[in-house]
Amino acid sequence: MTSSSSLRLLPLLSPLLSIALALQVSDASAQQQAGAGRPPPTYEQQQEKMNAWTVGLAAGLIEGAPLRLAAEMARVVDDGPNLHVLPIVTRGPTENLNSLLYLRGVDLAMINSDSLEEYRIGFPTIREHVTYLLKLFPSELHVFVRPEIQSLQDLAGKKVNFNTLGTAAAYSGPLIFSRLGIDVDKTFIPHPLALQQMRKGDIAAVVFITTKPVDAFLRGQWDPGFKFLPVTYDSKFEDYYLPATLESSEYPALIKQGERIATISVPTVLVSYNWPLGSNRYQRVARFTDYLFSRVDKLQAAGFDPKWQTINLGATVPGLNRFPAAQDWLDRQARTVSEKR
């Protein structure tokens, strides 16, 4: 187009440009007038909105499985301002119960079932303050010993390592040995170092309490005679523990084909403080429960920890009552299934 043609179009374009500009000014003015009636939220209002549906979850050590599971739960139930879960790094699973009872902002915790034992004398009503949502997964007891050790009683007075303080083994291990009536020389050093000392004969046994199979036993090369010792499940363990086995398919280099080693397991449990029914904190945990239970199938999909595939929402936990909203959800599901029949 020539410059002369452009000049001829200017009279035609000018009214259109004027109308467009007028519309823009009018729209901006309308927005300003509408906004004038709604002042921006105050800092306190924003703070209240952010906190209204935020749930604090005490998870454990940064290298532990519970923190990983907590992060996966937080991802699946996330609903922007309607539900925000904050997984919290703590000193370990035994400390999580302390956090739930006493730390501000903690609504939920992942604990080992026998963590309650610590409070039995000083806090005899502990079970009235803690309720469970979900039994997550078992952590099996592995008592791994040198060739000269033939029974649990042979460990009396000898060095036994229970991993570093704050871990499940460091808390539950000595408690289990106390129940067995076996007094050992307890050490609390990292398991990789303890296994090295065990090969040299400086340590008689190591105690792992974690989900099987354990990489250290799968990848390590062990001389003949190194083995797992059986631990019999009986009345001494009925309050917090469950029976379990270690099998040859899990540890083919240490357990003969077809053989099973009896042991016990420590359930890992997702618990809530027993918030008053209808309170703000109760409502937060109730919403979390509804989201988690309704979306557990997402956690059982590829990309999440395989442990989720073993979850049974209806599984019970010895010694604790179920969180009311969790029981309500299960009851509603049962009614729905019944009505469809």
Side-chain angles (χ1 to χ4, degrees):
M1 182 181 291
T2 63
S3 58
S4 60
S5 299
S6 300
L7 290 171
R8 283 196 298 271
L9 286 173
L10 277 176
L12 297 173
L13 289 174
S14 294
L16 295 175
L17 289 172
S18 299
I19 292 170
L21 287 171
L23 288 172
Q24 288 181 5
V25 171
S26 175
D27 184 57
S29 177
Q31 289 181 7
Q32 288 177 356
Q33 290 176 5
R38 293 195 306 270
T42 65
Y43 172 81
E44 289 76 13
Q45 289 170 333
Q46 280 290 90
Q47 188 180 48
E48 180 65 25
K49 182 179 179 181
M50 287 287 291
N51 282 277
W53 294 106
T54 296
V55 175
L57 169 54
L61 296 167
I62 196 166
E63 66 271 22
L67 182 63
R68 183 173 64 254
L69 295 180
E72 291 181 344
M73 281 190 284
R75 180 150 48 112
V76 163
V77 304
D78 183 73
D79 192 19
N82 298 314
L83 187 63
H84 181 203
V85 176
L86 296 177
I88 302 169
V89 176
T90 68
R91 299 186 183 99
T94 57
E95 181 64 24
N96 288 346
L97 186 53
N98 256 342
S99 300
L100 181 68
L101 292 172
Y102 303 116
L103 195 62
R104 291 189 182 94
V106 175
D107 303 278
L108 298 161
M110 299 172 73
I111 68 169
N112 293 335
S113 59
D114 59 356
S115 297
L116 297 168
E117 179 69 10
E118 182 178 348
Y119 299 84
R120 185 171 57 86
I121 297 175
F123 197 164
T125 61
I126 180 68
R127 294 170 191 250
E128 299 174 13
H129 295 264
V130 179
T131 60
Y132 76 93
L133 278 67
L134 192 60
K135 184 165 75 173
L136 292 169
F137 58 89
S139 295
E140 288 83 11
L141 170 68
H142 299 66
V143 182
F144 189 60
V145 300
R146 286 185 48 79
E148 66 270 17
I149 303 298
Q150 301 301 320
S151 69
L152 290 169
Q153 286 68 29
D154 291 345
L155 291 173
K158 294 184 173 61
K159 281 189 177 182
V160 176
N161 190 63
F162 294 95
N163 209 355
T164 53
L165 295 174
T167 62
Y171 177 78
S172 299
L175 184 59
I176 289 169
F177 269 73
S178 174
R179 291 187 175 208
L180 290 167
I182 301 172
D183 187 17
V184 299
D185 181 5
K186 296 181 284 290
T187 63
F188 300 92
I189 62 175
H191 270 333
L193 178 58
L195 289 169
Q196 292 178 19
Q197 295 186 16
M198 188 179 174
R199 292 178 190 274
K200 296 186 294 185
D202 297 334
I203 288 179
V206 293
V207 173
F208 282 69
I209 297 180
T210 186
T211 51
K212 60 181 182 179
V214 178
D215 283 347
F217 302 129
L218 286 175
R219 299 176 181 176
Q221 298 295 318
W222 302 99
D223 293 336
F226 280 84
K227 57 189 170 293
F228 298 111
L229 288 182
V231 179
T232 303
Y233 180 83
D234 57 25
S235 59
K236 293 189 293 291
F237 300 118
E238 289 178 349
D239 50 355
Y240 300 122
Y241 307 95
L242 294 171
T245 58
L246 307 177
E247 304 188 15
S248 56
S249 59
E250 297 156 346
Y251 300 110
L254 292 166
I255 302 176
K256 294 178 182 178
Q257 187 173 3
E259 186 179 352
R260 308 174 81 187
I261 307 294
T263 188
I264 65 174
S265 66
V266 186
T268 301
V269 186
L270 178 63
V271 296
S272 166
Y273 189 79
N274 191 15
W275 303 109
L277 200 65
S279 67
N280 175 262
R281 305 295 284 273
Y282 179 92
Q283 290 172 347
R284 294 187 202 192
V285 178
R287 178 172 291 188
F288 169 87
T289 303
D290 185 65
Y291 278 41
L292 177 64
F293 282 29
S294 299
R295 302 178 184 183
V296 72
D297 59 317
K298 298 182 184 297
L299 289 166
Q300 294 170 336
F304 291 94
D305 195 298
K307 296 183 188 71
W308 289 114
Q309 297 173 16
T310 66
I311 291 296
N312 175 6
L313 296 179
T316 58
V317 175
L320 284 177
N321 294 319
R322 201 189 302 270
F323 184 65
Q327 188 61 55
D328 290 345
W329 190 95
L330 293 172
D331 292 342
R332 289 197 304 272
Q333 290 300 111
R335 286 195 297 271
T336 301
V337 171
S338 178
E339 290 168 358
K340 289 180 179 180
R341 288 177 180 171

